[in-house]
Amino acid sequence: MLLLKEKLLEAINYIKGIKADYGDLRLKDITTEYIKAENGKITSVATSRSKGVGIRIYVNGIMGFAATSNLDNLMDTVKLAYNTAVASAVLNNNKVELSPKKALKDTYATQISINPFEVPLNEKIGVLMACNSVMSNVQDVSSCEAFMSFRKEKVIFADTTGSYITQTFYQSGGGITARATKNGDTQERSFTNYLRAGYEAVLNMKLPEHSEKLAQQAVALTNAENCPEGTFDLILMPSQLQLQIHESVGHPTELDRVLGSEAAFAGASFLAPTDLSANLKYGSEHVTIVADATDSMGDLGLGTFGYDDEGVEAQNITLVKKGVFANFQTSRDNAPIVNQNSYGMGLADGWSNLPIVRMTNINLQPGHFSYDDLVKGVEYGFLLEENKSWSIDDKRVNFQFACEIAHEIKDGKLTGKIYKNPIYTGKTTEFWGSCDGVCSAKYRQMVGVPNCGKGQPMQVMRVAHASSPARFRKVRFISNG
């Protein structure tokens, strides 16, 4: 029986021998674990494993794709991908030019301290039950939950140019939620994160230690006033700023959205290819945003890797430089359309989907403000934490975000008063243009997003966003009624 590497190289050599422009294959072996405790009871202990190979073959500029979970019929799948490319050429005249890339042989692995899959289940359950106990003991808490989630992904990439790359990724995350209900009004406070790391990431979150404060805040919110309407200054903490970055910068700078080839599921983009040379004003001089798959600042973001699913090296690309739009996020099949090479953002969810342009770690770069200075600069406004709900139009221009809690700021000080149901709204470039301060790297936090949906059929990708607290002027707040 052929060893795995021999099987994969046999398939690549077969593609080389037929009339194909290019071919690659991508094996993914994914193991997951999910544990959840609700109201003092374990409600979920689930594990899964998925293993298979996706194969792309280009014939005269037209792609064919096929995938299989049965490695014993790998050659049949190769032939299916080839025949699909040939048949597609009959109806498809839109030939694809792939941007060039290096032929590389390499390995990459997430550096971990504790393998989450080797930690005893009882230990994990003990932490979750401790969180439940602390939250449920807070008077007037109506429900609570805690969870942990782990993922291990082994990837092998090979292509007809000579690349053979093996990668191993780990993802660890967890979270807690406390809810309180009074007079038919339910409020909640939550704390969640995911990182490219081992079990140490969950330990460092100190979930039991956060549980009591969040539960108390949930109860306090049921007695709080609704956040007032009007125009106020706003400070966003990383727990909310990550979603603002994600929806109003991450998605609209994906080139496939700009070109209209990814518009059905979650919209297109207000940007155009010509904006690359137009010095488009995306925000204020305080706004520099990068797409950093290298995790150059050591943030352990979920969008970190050695190579994307097209065998292109991870890169750190500036999307917005001091408020001016600078770059799109690209993959091999669309970068040449704007006279660029791929920036290594061709990623696929699992082995059965095609790589499409996906965010990596989209980060707001630190400024020079201290947290105290940021607050002191607000005459009257609010500091918001943790997203509750959101919406944005199909061009990624008009948005509305609701958060779990608003902290009042008056005369440059946090008053200690909280409001429930804060909702702010705006337009993308106007909002980022109102940013007049970002805290320094001392306050920087990386927030993982394990469920970014895109594409049809939908693919769920793991991305992340690092930021320090940031201040925005004259932001419109609206009522939740």
Side-chain angles (χ1 to χ4, degrees):
M1 180 179 292
L2 291 176
L3 297 175
L4 177 59
K5 184 174 182 178
E6 292 174 335
K7 282 185 178 181
L8 300 180
L9 291 180
E10 179 186 49
I12 290 296
N13 287 331
Y14 178 84
I15 299 171
K16 289 180 179 179
I18 58 179
K19 295 179 180 179
D21 309 332
Y22 169 82
D24 61 31
L25 60 82
R26 176 176 30 86
L27 180 146
K28 292 198 174 187
D29 184 354
I30 302 168
T31 302
T32 64
E33 180 182 65
Y34 180 78
I35 312 163
K36 186 176 184 180
E38 296 180 86
N39 303 320
K41 296 181 180 180
I42 298 299
T43 56
S44 179
V45 178
T47 59
S48 68
R49 185 179 181 187
S50 175
K51 183 178 181 179
V53 178
I55 299 168
R56 297 191 306 178
I57 297 178
Y58 286 82
V59 179
N60 296 325
I62 304 299
M63 183 194 68
F65 177 75
T68 181
S69 61
N70 183 359
L71 298 186
D72 291 332
N73 76 346
L74 190 57
M75 295 307 298
D76 291 340
T77 308
V78 171
K79 294 172 184 177
L80 177 59
Y82 174 75
N83 291 334
T84 301
V86 173
S88 298
V90 176
L91 299 174
N92 189 350
N93 294 319
N94 297 319
K95 294 185 177 182
V96 173
E97 175 190 354
L98 296 177
S99 67
K101 72 173 191 66
K102 300 175 184 177
L104 296 164
K105 292 180 172 63
D106 200 4
T107 60
Y108 175 90
T110 302
Q111 299 302 303
I112 65 173
S113 298
I114 306 172
N115 187 333
F117 295 95
E118 295 177 357
V119 176
L121 180 61
N122 286 343
E123 180 178 332
K124 300 169 185 173
I125 288 176
V127 174
L128 299 180
M129 293 298 284
C131 294
N132 273 237
S133 178
V134 171
M135 289 186 286
S136 62
N137 283 334
V138 174
Q139 187 176 358
D140 295 330
V141 165
S142 56
S143 68
C144 61
E145 61 188 54
F147 77 92
M148 292 184 189
S149 174
F150 306 101
R151 179 184 177 100
K152 180 181 180 181
E153 187 170 346
K154 295 183 177 180
V155 183
I156 300 175
F157 175 87
D159 67 15
T160 52
T161 67
S163 291
Y164 193 89
I165 300 165
T166 61
Q167 301 186 88
T168 303
F169 306 115
Y170 283 89
Q171 170 186 309
S172 296
I176 51 177
T177 301
R179 299 182 186 89
T181 302
K182 184 176 181 180
N183 298 326
D185 177 31
T186 297
Q187 296 293 321
E188 72 175 40
R189 286 290 286 122
S190 60
F191 170 55
T192 304
N193 205 2
Y194 302 80
L195 294 173
R196 277 270 201 250
Y199 187 68
E200 66 275 6
V202 174
L203 294 179
N204 291 337
M205 290 177 70
K206 301 184 185 300
L207 295 175
E209 288 88 335
H210 281 87
S211 295
E212 184 174 13
K213 179 181 178 181
L214 259 66
Q216 290 172 342
Q217 286 184 342
V219 173
L221 283 169
T222 63
N223 297 310
E225 301 172 34
N226 279 313
C227 192
E229 295 184 67
T231 300
F232 308 107
D233 290 343
L234 167 65
I235 293 177
L236 291 183
M237 299 301 286
S239 62
Q240 169 60 25
L241 193 50
Q242 58 87 15
L243 189 64
Q244 184 74 55
I245 295 167
H246 184 97
E247 301 297 345
S248 64
V249 181
H251 279 313
T253 58
E254 295 167 335
L255 184 56
D256 54 351
R257 290 184 184 275
V258 174
L259 297 173
S261 58
E262 170 53 43
F265 176 69
S269 173
F270 68 90
L271 293 170
T274 52
D275 288 329
L276 267 179
S277 57
N279 291 319
L280 174 73
K281 194 72 172 174
Y282 210 107
S284 74
E285 62 182 7
H286 298 276
V287 178
T288 293
I289 297 176
V290 301
D292 184 6
T294 69
D295 237 356
S296 60
M297 295 185 71
D299 293 308
L300 305 176
L302 296 187
T304 306
F305 48 81
Y307 302 87
D308 73 356
D309 286 327
E310 298 186 301
V312 178
E313 291 175 282
Q315 297 171 55
N316 182 358
I317 302 301
T318 300
L319 302 177
V320 179
K321 184 175 182 180
K322 293 184 177 181
V324 178
F325 174 66
N327 276 303
F328 293 113
Q329 300 176 71
T330 62
S331 59
R332 291 191 70 197
D333 62 342
N334 54 42
I337 297 173
V338 291
N339 298 313
Q340 292 182 341
N341 288 335
S342 171
Y343 286 144
M345 292 153 179
L347 298 166
D349 175 17
W351 50 269
S352 61
N353 289 309
L354 281 165
I356 57 178
V357 178
R358 299 309 301 257
M359 286 182 248
T360 54
N361 301 310
I362 312 300
N363 305 331
L364 174 64
Q365 297 297 78
H368 63 273
F369 283 79
S370 71
Y371 176 77
D372 288 341
D373 286 340
L374 211 64
V375 174
K376 286 178 183 177
V378 176
E379 183 176 344
Y380 191 81
F382 301 98
L383 181 149
L384 303 189
E385 295 184 87
E386 203 68 47
N387 187 259
K388 193 173 183 179
S389 66
W390 62 274
S391 65
I392 193 166
D393 69 27
D394 60 0
K395 291 291 187 179
R396 302 275 153 177
V397 175
N398 298 286
F399 63 79
Q400 177 178 299
F401 291 101
C403 295
E404 290 182 357
I405 188 169
H407 301 269
E408 184 183 56
I409 305 172
K410 189 174 182 179
D411 298 328
K413 296 180 180 179
L414 287 160
T415 67
K417 184 173 183 178
I418 62 172
Y419 291 89
K420 62 185 177 185
N421 304 325
I423 305 172
Y424 69 96
T425 184
K427 295 184 176 181
T428 292
T429 55
E430 290 179 6
F431 180 79
W432 288 107
S434 75
C435 179
D436 77 334
V438 180
C439 284
S440 68
K442 174 183 176 180
Y443 306 91
R444 181 180 170 99
Q445 296 178 34
M446 176 68 81
V447 180
V449 180
N451 56 353
C452 175
K454 181 180 175 181
Q456 287 186 323
M458 188 174 74
Q459 299 189 39
V460 178
M461 191 52 63
R462 291 141 295 283
V463 305
H465 309 288
S467 65
S468 301
R471 186 175 63 204
F472 303 85
R473 297 297 191 182
K474 297 182 179 179
V475 177
R476 184 183 172 215
F477 281 67
I478 62 175
S479 169
N480 72 326

